[in-house]
Amino acid sequence: MILDERYHNFRAKVKDFADKEVAPRAKGLDQKGEFPWDLVKRMAELELLAIYLPKEYGGAGLDILSYAIAVEEVGRVCGSTGIFLAAHASLGIFPIYFAGTEEQKQKWLAPLAKGEKIGSFGLTEPDAGSDAAATQTTAKLVGEEYVVNGTKRFITSGSIADIIVFTATKDPLLGYPGISAFVVEKGTPGFSPGKDEEKLGLRGSITSELIFEDCKIPKQNLLGNEGDGFKIFMETLDGGRISIGALALGIAQGALDASLKFAKENKKSGKPLYKLQNIQSMIAEMATNVEAARLLIYQAAMLKDNNKPFTKEAAMAKYYASDIGTKVTNMAIDIHGMLGITDQYPVERFLRDEKLMEIGEGTSEIQKIVIARKILGK
Ligand code: COS
């Protein structure tokens, strides 16, 4: 795809960081289930934590396409660091930027952009995953405070986050119009992290429960108006799906790169692997899938950057990139043979990390619903 030179320069900067600083850590983070605090600090120094946020709020003042490129490049070497970046920038920062008052933006965005605080997004609950409108967590206004009760689940960076945007309803019977969006800060009495999940992949990232027990949140922490929560979160997820697509793309590119290296360095019956037709066929298929995913993701990013509708395109990008991502990482293992399932090569990690891309921020089935409704005019 032909991109302006500034995107090539930006990619080169992120690629250099990813190759030199993130790649050497990726295997250890995965194996030890260790969160990369040092890399968060470096990403803050490189202005990668809030790429699209205007400079007045502490961001890099770039755009969504640059942000997608950054997630892709980091994800190419480490899915765990990539998902942290995507969750922090798309889910932690965006709803405040999108729906916050000037005062709320001034208070919360700069510390998030500078990495002094970690952001997170609490939507999913034990009984409200794909059906986001089924939120059971309640927020009742008592005087000047909302009293919140409920549990959130599978929240990226949940237990380490300082600033968490979450949904709660006035009454679960009201459906989506009852849902509002709030910010809770770490240390607020009645708010505590529950357990962190042990996961198949993305093991260097944190996925937690969040528990609210009579947690009192000041009225000033409401984002937008009461009842706006569902739409704020849907708009946030539209953008988040671009970044999850970019992460799926990055991981797939990493698997393709590893396969090319392996095919060049190894032989079968004395013949270099890359000269075998079936290996060439697999490489061609993988490369075509990766390039097609890239086009869809960049298209969605450019639409958002140009203030055009992009809900359908973001859903297509996320659906397609995660779908081919799982396929491409699987093929990468096939190219490596038995070695591919050992920890001597990164491709087994890529497959484990890639699987989440089909599930998080809306499953593939949800993306298909979003796409079909847009096409059919619902
Ligand atoms: N942007 C803005 N508004 C949106 C929107 C979007 N992308 N999608 C829906 N809305 C609005 C609709 O326009 C509707 O408002 P009106 O009644 O004023 O027209 C309202 O929100 C309800 O929409 P809808 O009836 O489509 O809601 P559904 O309950 O049918 O749910 C899906 C829609 C399935 C798309 C939604 O629940 C969803 O995305 N679920 C997946 C959640 C998810 O991704 N979870 C991942 C975990 S969070 S990391």
Side-chain angles (χ1 to χ4, degrees):
M1 184 178 213
I2 300 170
L3 291 179
D4 202 301
E5 199 183 333
R6 68 198 151 110
Y7 295 108
H8 292 290
N9 295 340
F10 178 74
R11 182 191 295 279
K13 171 182 142 174
V14 185
K15 184 177 183 328
D16 189 61
F17 162 68
D19 287 339
K20 290 188 183 145
E21 300 184 50
V22 185
R25 300 286 314 287
K27 182 173 172 180
L29 295 175
D30 174 64
Q31 291 189 334
K32 293 181 212 142
E34 184 184 305
F35 182 76
W37 287 105
D38 56 328
L39 296 176
V40 174
K41 189 162 171 277
R42 284 292 293 137
M43 287 193 281
E45 286 164 4
L46 295 167
E47 292 194 310
L48 295 180
L49 291 182
I51 293 167
Y52 63 82
L53 202 63
K55 284 189 183 285
E56 59 185 297
Y57 299 121
L62 299 177
D63 53 15
I64 299 294
L65 180 55
S66 305
Y67 166 51
I69 289 171
V71 174
E72 176 189 341
E73 282 302 321
V74 171
R76 182 176 54 78
V77 297
C78 180
S80 293
T81 309
I83 191 78
F84 162 76
L85 175 59
H88 182 79
S90 286
L91 305 183
I93 289 177
F94 182 79
I96 300 174
Y97 175 49
F98 171 68
T101 60
E102 194 52 38
E103 199 184 341
Q104 290 172 328
K105 291 184 201 179
Q106 293 295 343
K107 182 174 178 193
W108 290 311
L109 290 179
L112 288 169
K114 290 185 196 137
E116 295 159 3
K117 304 252 163 131
I118 302 288
S120 184
F121 177 85
L123 173 64
T124 303
E125 299 184 0
D127 292 316
S130 288
D131 186 4
T135 299
Q136 300 296 305
T137 296
T138 52
K140 312 258 184 203
L141 187 61
V142 181
E144 292 302 298
E145 294 172 323
Y146 287 96
V147 180
V148 182
N149 282 288
T151 301
K152 298 287 173 180
R153 201 173 181 199
F154 304 134
I155 307 305
T156 305
S157 302
S159 64
I160 56 164
D162 303 284
I163 296 171
I164 302 106
V165 187
F166 71 97
T167 48
T169 178
K170 202 149 81 171
D171 178 348
L173 296 175
L174 292 174
Y176 88 83
I179 298 174
S180 301
F182 302 89
V183 172
V184 63
E185 296 189 54
K186 188 180 196 162
T188 305
F191 170 67
S192 57
K195 70 177 170 71
D196 288 341
E197 303 289 344
E198 281 294 330
K199 307 190 295 290
L200 170 77
L202 303 174
R203 295 179 49 76
S205 72
I206 289 171
T207 310
S208 331
E209 235 177 18
L210 299 175
I211 299 163
F212 296 87
E213 289 169 310
D214 286 332
C215 174
K216 296 190 179 69
I217 291 180
K219 226 172 153 183
Q220 300 90 293
N221 287 24
L222 172 72
L223 287 181
N225 296 312
E226 272 198 17
D228 286 351
F230 188 78
K231 290 184 187 179
I232 293 172
F233 271 50
M234 286 300 117
E235 300 235 11
T236 301
L237 285 171
D238 283 344
R241 286 166 187 163
I242 298 176
S243 66
I244 294 299
L247 183 53
L249 164 66
I251 297 170
Q253 181 68 58
L256 174 59
D257 294 347
S259 302
L260 292 171
K261 185 167 185 289
F262 187 86
K264 284 179 188 161
E265 290 174 355
N266 290 277
K267 293 181 175 176
K268 189 177 180 192
S269 312
K271 203 170 174 186
L273 277 182
Y274 74 90
K275 291 203 169 168
L276 301 176
Q277 265 185 3
N278 67 330
I279 298 288
Q280 291 181 357
S281 165
M282 283 200 266
I283 299 255
E285 195 174 333
M286 291 160 80
T288 306
N289 286 168
V290 165
E291 201 54 35
R294 183 169 287 117
L295 294 175
L296 280 174
I297 291 154
Y298 291 5
Q299 170 187 246
M302 286 175 184
L303 287 169
K304 183 161 165 60
D305 281 331
N306 286 285
N307 299 315
K308 300 264 194 271
F310 68 98
T311 299
K312 180 187 74 184
E313 288 77 6
M316 284 177 165
K318 196 265 186 193
Y319 164 51
Y320 184 76
S322 59
D323 191 51
I324 66 96
T326 308
K327 186 175 120 189
V328 165
T329 48
N330 239 316
M331 289 170 89
I333 292 183
D334 291 342
I335 289 175
H336 286 68
M338 275 302 280
L339 285 167
I341 59 165
T342 71
D343 69 356
Q344 294 174 54
Y345 291 90
V347 286
E348 57 85 30
R349 169 166 55 85
F350 289 145
L351 175 64
R352 288 186 287 107
D353 287 353
E354 191 72 275
K355 186 63 198 172
L356 179 110
M357 305 305 134
E358 293 178 18
I359 301 169
E361 292 192 40
T363 62
S364 294
E365 292 310 311
I366 288 291
Q367 306 312 321
K368 287 191 253 182
I369 290 173
V370 172
I371 296 163
R373 284 184 181 179
K374 285 287 169 195
I375 291 171
L376 297 167
K378 196 252 170 191

